[in-house]
Amino acid sequence: MLEFEKTLDQKVERLYHYASLQLAEDSANPDYLGRMAQLQNLLTKVCEAFAFVAPEIQAIDDEKFAQFLNDALLVRGERS
């Protein structure tokens, strides 16, 4: 899930840069304004969807988290 979040974040970042550069080129263009608004709406939905992740990870007690870090399947994706 964390890898998916990272990949999604990279793609959204590229879209945001593209849209913001277009808007900077012509801030009166309604198409560019609309794209930027759509992207901001999408960013809000993505942030809402992932808002639970950090609190859930932080809620894991230290002993259990250490077990996760020692699990080869979770850390490196290797099957034992």
Side-chain angles (χ1 to χ4, degrees):
M1 195 278 312
L2 293 174
E3 287 297 323
F4 172 75
E5 182 182 23
K6 183 172 111 178
T7 302
L8 181 62
D9 186 47
Q10 289 171 341
K11 290 180 181 185
V12 168
E13 184 178 354
R14 287 185 199 131
L15 285 171
Y16 187 83
H17 285 300
Y18 179 75
S20 65
L21 287 172
Q22 280 189 319
L23 187 60
E25 183 181 299
D26 183 3
S27 61
N29 186 319
D31 291 335
Y32 297 163
L33 289 167
R35 284 187 199 128
M36 198 64 169
Q38 286 177 325
L39 187 54
Q40 288 172 338
N41 188 27
L42 176 64
L43 286 171
T44 300
K45 289 179 182 181
V46 168
C47 288
E48 286 174 2
F50 283 104
F52 75 96
V53 174
E56 288 294 321
I57 291 172
Q58 291 170 344
I60 299 171
D61 64 65
D62 292 342
E63 185 177 310
K64 188 66 167 177
F65 198 79
Q67 290 174 352
F68 289 150
L69 292 176
N70 291 323
D71 188 317
L73 181 59
L74 293 174
V75 176
R76 294 176 288 284
E78 299 172 1
R79 299 210 183 265
S80 23

